[in-house]
Amino acid sequence: MTLSRRGTRLEVGARSQRNKHSPANEGALCRKGWAAAGLRGSRERLTSPMVRDRATGEWSAVEWDQALDMVAARLAELRATHGADANAVFGGGGLTNEKAYQLGKLARVALGTSQIDYNGRWCMSSAASAGNQAFGVDRGLPFPLADIEQTDVCVLVGSNLAETMPPAARHLDRLRENGGKVVVIDPRLTPTGERADLFLQPVPGTDLPLALGILHLLDAAGAVDEHYVAERTTGFDDVRRSVAAWWPEMVERVSGVEAGRLRELAGLLASAEKVMILTARGAEQHAQGTATVLAWINVALALGMPGRPYAGYGCLTGQGNGQGGREHGQKADQLPGYRSIDDPEARAHVAAVWGIDPDAIPGKGRSASELLDALGTPEGPKSLLVFGSNVVVSAPNAGHVASRLAGLDLLVVADMVMSETAALADVVLPVTQWAEETGTMTNLEGRVILRTQAVDPPAGVRSDLEVIAGLAARLGGPRWPTDPEEIFEELRAASRGGRADYSGISYDRIRAEDGVFWPCPDGSGGAPRLFADSFFHPDGLARFIDVDHRGAAEEPNDDYPLHLTTGRILAQYQSGAQTRRIKDLPDDGAFVEMHPLLADRVGAHDGDPVVVRTPRGEMKAPARVVTTIRPDTIFVPFHWVGANKLTNDALDPSSRMPEFKVCAAAVSA
Amino acid sequence: MSAAAVSCNTSFDGLSGRSDRASSPANDVLQQPVRGDRIVIVGGGMAAARLVEGLVARGLGPQTTVLAEEQHAPYNRILLSAVLEGTHRPEALTLREKQWYAARGVDLRLGCLVADIHRDTRTVELADRTTVPYDRLVLATGAIPSLPPIRGTVRADGSLDPRVQAFRSLDDCVRLLALVDRQTLHDRPRRAVIVGGGLLGLQVARALAVRGIETEIVEGRDHLLSSQVDASAGKVLKRSMARLGTQVYLGARATRLTEEGLRLDNGYTLETDLVVLTAGGRPRANLARRAGLTVNRGVIVDDRLRSIDDPHVHAIGDCAEHDGNVTGFVSPAWEQAGVLADVLAGNEATYEGHRVVARLRATDLDVCVLGDPRNEVGEVVEIANPVTGTHRRLVVREGRIVAGALVGDLSRVGVITQAFDRQTVLGDHEAGRLLLPEPMPAGAARPRLPDDAEVCSCAGVDAGRIRACRSLEDVRETTRATTGCGGCAPAVRQLLATREPELSMEGTPL
């Protein structure tokens, strides 16, 4: 995206108008992009810190110094009374790299707390965990997005990119023009599915057995790349045997996908030279999300694809800075540079950059859902600082989350509008919007890009970086920088030698090269494509990991006979805190998508309200009757308050990802 | 176990008479398994393999011994017909390698024949007269194929006529493969007769036909798949087989194998080079019977899959009889294996029966049987089209699909099976509509778009605004349609092409 002024108006344009070389989206934008400037000047924009009186619930505007003094004093007091872990920090995958880095430092250095995590935990953490286990590294796409056009078969598992990242759908079209095939796997026939040559419609939560069944068929047909498996991987024997139990009819029974469809897909994969398998939230947001991704990685490895040009496995990012946001320290278990917080060497390196004793860096904290669940409990944090997240709308089992927030001694939210979460806070700090600040993001390809400030922020608004520095200063210690480039220089040093090594990247270089791929150690050229010769495990080999299907944490029963799945729609983004406030974007509110067979069963009519219930909560919204969804499944978009009151907070054992994508539900007219 | 039906009768009606359990609660406490118990499994089939996986997952691998008769590590028996058909490599059948068992401390003994069970001393006696002591014995001995009494199949010296083949084990399959794989046309069988028209018989017939062998089926009952489907569905199947080139003889028994061929009791003699016996099987319970355990059709077990006579003996899979049912299918066997793994680990678990879905695996032949559609009571929804070779039937009780048979058309099988397995309560019209063709997918045959129909969802542009544009460039400039995901470009071109002249500004046609 690029910004320009036309008179007093701010215009968002495709980057191609500025720079013809923007391969990920080819300069195309979607409606959310064009409309993104619409929030500027909105009357809902906050321009002064606000403090809420707990007794009366009344808000009053205060000066910045007053707000920051008050927050810092309360944080210090809570730390003195209950220990450092009494204070917690919650970040977001939309924050720039510089903010993510500073937020991690704020928690570990200024607050000394281990309690920091972020909403990215609810986004790509399963793919991240699987990537680390299988390849020894987690970079969403190990190749540029445009490589899609050059593959033979592109399999999208649980991705609706035509709606969630519309410009990327052009790559699919180009692939098909080139004679390639697109396969889409989704419980709903989405606009992405409509572009598919082969569409599989499984029961939510069964992408894993589908992968097991595909590998079964590939092995049965002798389509495994035995040479590649022997040379470049370990662990295949157990995986190969375990899928002998997943013949197509068995998969059909579990997944609801006809065995013939599975055979078609296996045939397509077996005959293709280049196969690209891409997962997204549909496959990942499950209590078995990591295992699901691993099962698809196993398919890619058995076919010998990762490391081959225009082939392999990748994960499609969900948030603007989903990739960078998880590399620089706002994750409970990580230090900058994608380093493990348990690794003594990593702690020593980062401590040296921060100028503190390695022992002063706290250990691993709670993951996002566990952190929110612990708030206000005797053992849990007493305060929470929220940056770039609207947890009341986006967290699973959101009703429970709201009640946990209410149990806090102090809730501070930095946001540009009075989001649903901000409305519950004691202190709200008004911060800049993306166009009003500079910073780097790391896109889904692992390409670090620079977004420069286009306009001045409204009076009274400060950047997150200024807020963080202001709090850090009040909590004692030296002055922290607020200039993004200065912070990036520190981030470079902190990431040096880590898995996500940015030490060779500078603002100047990003400008000159239109983005630089990590890992990029000092003096190197960056790495658009990974794994050509070696994977990132010490022995250079990829790992096959034996996984089995356990099913959803909550299966339908007589009281809740349906599967509920959730997702995004084109005109909205995440919790909708921004997009719902832009009048150019249609906001018709939430809806309940259901098949005519189901509508008839419950007596629902298109457009009329229905009530959806799960064991955790209920919501009311109009029915949207479509033939494109499985009759045993309903879909609710999660941009509005409601959907996440229904979702299940059961967690994946390794990624701690909640099961957003499936739970048992009932619907009534 | 194989897909071949071993006279399967699956009743899930909770009201149907359940036999009284032999054990009292006090007895249960005394008989709780303890860590360190020696677990001995007789049998190395799919049920045994799944049980071992469950035991290993619960940390009981090192105290487990498997006595398997076949020489092969446990393999997926139900895919043998796919191997025969050539769609499945035989090497890909293995469920777990021998090394896998060894690495987890499991004592897997292949080629191990069990002679007797001595319950008094809790030992198993092997054919070589050595003994294996147990604390917990699991019978997973499976089923034996019932060989029809056909004279002439056994030669004077006691060996089987080389033209006759059973089809149950990997060895059977390998032998048969060696026959049909022969390169020289001369001694390759040209014609084959399959004795038995059940699931396995149909699969084998298709497998051989796919390999270019002329096949015929002889079935003693009056229609194909008689254990699963009714006569009208059987008739459709027979026609389908005929269309695929396989002749079917019904109500006929093979009586004698001669030089001329296989003689039937209806007077026909079928000239043949190969006779494959697939006439079902029965639970293999002779060991249990000799050991004095109660055996009806199978070894009778309670909800914890224990013999009702001896709490130290369990049975699962084809050889077990639970609540009056023997199954002959893999999914209940695996479910039982999961329950028994829990029971042996000392966890609370009971087996309460299982819904069976039988699925035929053969090229160009689509059959799915849910439960027992012949005997299950309920309202019947049925749609048949003999011309297209389809017959689909659902048995519905109180809104739930309790049984069904889908022949020749498996569209929506994935939805129907889910509703059956989960016992979803359907609407009044739903069962019937599930058998009708899928509604047209969205956008398949779009009529003329009304002006307010959204064409570009990226930019939120409707058909009217596109029609008001003069060119694609005009569309891009003024509406931003086609510049997002690009998916609407074909529709936009179509709209511009069919644009009515009078819609253009000032009535100047372009």
Side-chain angles (χ1 to χ4, degrees), chain B residues 236-255:
Chain B
V236 166
L237 267 175
K238 185 184 171 187
R239 285 179 59 146
S240 302
M241 289 306 284
R243 200 174 307 146
L244 293 166
T246 297
Q247 189 67 39
V248 178
Y249 301 89
L250 295 171
R253 265 165 236 289
T255 55

Side-chain angles (χ1 to χ4, degrees), chain A residues 50-107:
Chain A
M50 306 285 281
V51 175
R52 188 171 60 106
D53 183 315
R54 282 210 170 192
T56 63
E58 257 174 61
W59 290 99
S60 43
V62 297
E63 291 299 318
W64 269 100
D65 278 341
Q66 195 187 339
L68 292 177
D69 285 348
M70 183 184 128
V71 170
R74 297 290 303 279
L75 293 172
E77 186 189 313
L78 286 169
R79 180 177 185 172
T81 317
H82 302 283
D85 280 356
N87 296 313
V89 178
F90 201 92
L95 300 176
T96 60
N97 292 328
E98 292 78 4
K99 293 180 189 177
Y101 173 81
Q102 286 297 81
L103 208 53
K105 189 173 166 183
L106 175 74

Side-chain angles (χ1 to χ4, degrees), chain B residues 259-479:
Chain B
E259 287 306 309
E260 287 74 48
L262 187 65
R263 194 180 296 165
L264 309 185
D265 62 358
N266 60 8
Y268 281 94
T269 296
L270 308 179
E271 198 186 310
T272 185
D273 313 314
L274 183 62
V275 176
V276 187
L277 306 174
T278 68
R282 56 192 160 79
R284 191 171 175 186
N286 49 341
L287 271 178
R289 203 176 275 119
R290 255 207 323 279
L293 299 167
T294 306
V295 175
N296 181 26
R297 279 183 296 162
V299 183
I300 296 188
V301 293
D302 63 16
D303 286 356
R304 291 193 190 177
L305 302 162
R306 292 182 306 196
S307 157
I308 55 171
D309 311 296
D310 185 340
H312 294 276
V313 180
H314 301 260
I316 56 171
D318 288 7
C319 70
E321 179 173 330
H322 173 263
D323 204 13
N325 298 315
V326 292
T327 74
F329 289 96
V330 69
S331 54
W334 277 2
E335 188 137 317
Q336 290 171 356
V339 170
L340 184 55
D342 265 333
V343 169
L344 292 176
N347 303 329
E348 272 305 316
T350 53
Y351 177 72
E352 281 150 13
H354 179 86
R355 268 173 273 282
V356 171
V357 176
R359 199 60 171 74
L360 193 84
R361 276 167 299 281
T363 306
D364 298 327
L365 203 58
D366 292 320
V367 179
C368 177
V369 181
L370 313 159
D372 183 9
R374 279 165 62 256
N375 296 312
E376 197 68 67
V377 180
E379 292 156 317
V380 173
V381 187
E382 194 170 274
I383 293 184
N385 185 343
V387 180
T388 56
T390 65
H391 186 102
R392 315 203 305 151
R393 170 193 180 92
L394 296 177
V395 185
V396 180
R397 198 165 59 227
E398 285 160 11
R400 304 174 200 258
I401 298 173
V402 292
L406 309 172
V407 174
D409 178 0
L410 294 187
S411 55
R412 288 223 167 127
V413 66
V415 172
I416 294 170
T417 314
Q418 288 284 320
F420 170 71
D421 272 339
R422 301 184 185 281
Q423 287 294 286
T424 312
V425 178
L426 304 177
D428 289 345
H429 311 119
E430 212 171 335
R433 285 199 200 152
L434 280 173
L435 297 183
L436 293 171
E438 301 259 8
M440 290 287 267
R446 217 167 255 159
R448 185 187 185 279
L449 285 175
D451 276 353
D452 62 355
E454 190 172 84
V455 174
C456 173
S457 49
C458 293
V461 181
D462 60 30
R465 285 178 64 201
I466 305 276
R467 287 193 181 101
C469 292
R470 289 153 188 268
S471 65
L472 202 53
E473 286 68 47
D474 196 10
V475 169
R476 283 200 197 112
E477 280 295 306
T478 60
T479 72

Side-chain angles (χ1 to χ4, degrees), chain A residues 76-356:
Chain A
E77 186 189 313
L78 286 169
R79 180 177 185 172
T81 317
H82 302 283
D85 280 356
N87 296 313
V89 178
F90 201 92
L95 300 176
T96 60
N97 292 328
E98 292 78 4
K99 293 180 189 177
Y101 173 81
Q102 286 297 81
L103 208 53
K105 189 173 166 183
L106 175 74
R108 272 79 179 233
V109 178
L111 291 168
T113 180
S114 67
Q115 302 297 301
I116 174 169
D117 214 53
Y118 79 127
N119 65 19
R121 184 72 73 174
W122 302 329
C123 187
M124 297 169 64
S125 60
S126 288
S129 168
N132 281 323
Q133 289 181 54
F135 305 125
V137 70
D138 155 37
R139 199 181 91 181
L141 294 179
F143 38 70
L145 186 66
D147 276 12
I148 289 177
E149 296 173 12
Q150 309 295 324
T151 193
D152 292 335
V153 179
C154 178
V155 184
L156 294 164
V157 192
S159 165
N160 181 13
L161 59 76
E163 284 198 85
T164 56
M165 42 196 300
R170 291 167 169 271
H171 297 303
L172 297 181
D173 295 339
R174 205 73 51 74
L175 168 63
R176 295 182 70 191
E177 283 163 24
N178 293 343
K181 302 277 188 212
V182 174
V183 180
V184 172
I185 302 175
D186 196 316
R188 304 160 64 220
L189 176 59
T190 61
T192 313
E194 282 174 8
R195 285 172 144 89
D197 298 279
L198 180 62
F199 172 63
L200 273 55
Q201 194 166 26
V203 170
T206 61
D207 295 319
L208 170 50
L210 279 184
L212 300 175
I214 290 295
L215 190 50
H216 170 99
L217 284 168
L218 293 174
D219 188 31
V224 171
D225 186 338
E226 304 286 352
H227 181 73
Y228 176 98
V229 167
E231 295 293 312
R232 303 213 48 193
T233 73
T234 64
F236 185 52
D237 287 345
D238 280 350
V239 168
R240 160 175 263 165
R241 293 311 163 207
S242 70
V243 299
W246 287 98
W247 64 97
E249 290 78 13
M250 180 60 122
V251 175
E252 170 186 285
R253 186 164 181 193
V254 173
S255 69
V257 173
E258 202 219 311
R261 281 291 153 103
L262 205 65
R263 290 198 170 89
E264 260 182 82
L265 175 52
L268 204 56
L269 298 181
S271 61
E273 218 166 277
K274 295 167 285 179
V275 171
M276 198 177 268
I277 297 175
L278 304 175
T279 64
R281 307 304 82 68
E284 299 161 11
Q285 289 177 327
H286 292 279
Q288 273 204 287
T290 305
T292 302
V293 175
L294 284 169
W296 283 101
I297 289 176
N298 286 346
V299 172
L301 287 172
L303 288 165
M305 295 300 160
R308 186 180 292 193
Y310 309 110
Y313 163 80
C315 156
L316 294 164
T317 309
Q319 294 196 72
N321 197 25
Q323 181 71 45
R326 67 179 184 269
E327 296 168 355
H328 300 297
Q330 51 174 342
K331 248 178 138 172
D333 48 0
Q334 271 179 19
L335 291 174
Y338 219 122
R339 289 182 153 95
S340 167
I341 204 164
D342 292 332
D343 175 7
E345 225 171 282
R347 294 171 66 88
H349 174 86
V350 174
V353 174
W354 285 347
I356 59 171

Side-chain angles (χ1 to χ4, degrees), chain B residues 83-363:
Chain B
V83 171
L84 185 62
E85 192 173 313
T87 54
H88 203 106
R89 294 186 313 131
E91 302 79 34
L93 290 181
T94 309
L95 287 165
R96 293 288 182 194
E97 303 276 13
K98 278 183 277 187
Q99 301 86 291
W100 184 90
Y101 292 89
R104 283 149 186 86
V106 178
D107 182 6
L108 171 67
R109 305 194 196 171
L110 298 176
C112 181
L113 269 172
V114 174
D116 256 316
I117 296 163
H118 302 295
R119 291 201 286 131
D120 47 350
T121 56
R122 286 194 205 145
T123 51
V124 172
E125 186 181 332
L126 304 182
D128 63 7
R129 299 299 155 206
T130 58
T131 57
V132 181
Y134 68 80
D135 299 301
R136 300 270 151 185
L137 181 69
V138 180
L139 299 172
T141 47
I144 32 174
S146 26
L147 298 178
I150 306 173
R151 276 177 294 165
T153 52
V154 181
R155 293 187 295 191
D157 62 357
S159 66
L160 213 58
D161 186 294
R163 288 173 294 173
V164 179
Q165 294 285 334
F167 194 77
R168 167 140 193 102
S169 65
L170 182 53
D171 288 337
D172 293 337
C173 182
V174 167
R175 262 195 303 275
L176 204 49
L177 264 181
L179 280 178
V180 301
D181 252 356
R182 278 184 196 159
Q183 293 305 308
T184 53
L185 222 58
H186 176 65
D187 56 351
R188 188 168 183 267
R190 263 182 334 106
R191 296 172 150 206
V193 177
I194 285 80
V195 178
L199 284 166
L200 186 59
L202 291 177
Q203 285 179 184
V204 171
R206 282 303 296 145
L208 294 176
V210 164
R211 285 182 173 266
I213 296 169
E214 212 175 288
T215 55
E216 294 172 303
I217 295 175
V218 177
E219 165 59 47
R221 312 255 201 113
D222 65 353
H223 66 272
L224 289 172
L225 234 51
S226 60
S227 303
Q228 276 87 31
V229 304
D230 64 8
S232 46
K235 201 176 278 176
V236 166
L237 267 175
K238 185 184 171 187
R239 285 179 59 146
S240 302
M241 289 306 284
R243 200 174 307 146
L244 293 166
T246 297
Q247 189 67 39
V248 178
Y249 301 89
L250 295 171
R253 265 165 236 289
T255 55
R256 180 186 272 278
L257 184 63
T258 68
E259 287 306 309
E260 287 74 48
L262 187 65
R263 194 180 296 165
L264 309 185
D265 62 358
N266 60 8
Y268 281 94
T269 296
L270 308 179
E271 198 186 310
T272 185
D273 313 314
L274 183 62
V275 176
V276 187
L277 306 174
T278 68
R282 56 192 160 79
R284 191 171 175 186
N286 49 341
L287 271 178
R289 203 176 275 119
R290 255 207 323 279
L293 299 167
T294 306
V295 175
N296 181 26
R297 279 183 296 162
V299 183
I300 296 188
V301 293
D302 63 16
D303 286 356
R304 291 193 190 177
L305 302 162
R306 292 182 306 196
S307 157
I308 55 171
D309 311 296
D310 185 340
H312 294 276
V313 180
H314 301 260
I316 56 171
D318 288 7
C319 70
E321 179 173 330
H322 173 263
D323 204 13
N325 298 315
V326 292
T327 74
F329 289 96
V330 69
S331 54
W334 277 2
E335 188 137 317
Q336 290 171 356
V339 170
L340 184 55
D342 265 333
V343 169
L344 292 176
N347 303 329
E348 272 305 316
T350 53
Y351 177 72
E352 281 150 13
H354 179 86
R355 268 173 273 282
V356 171
V357 176
R359 199 60 171 74
L360 193 84
R361 276 167 299 281
T363 306

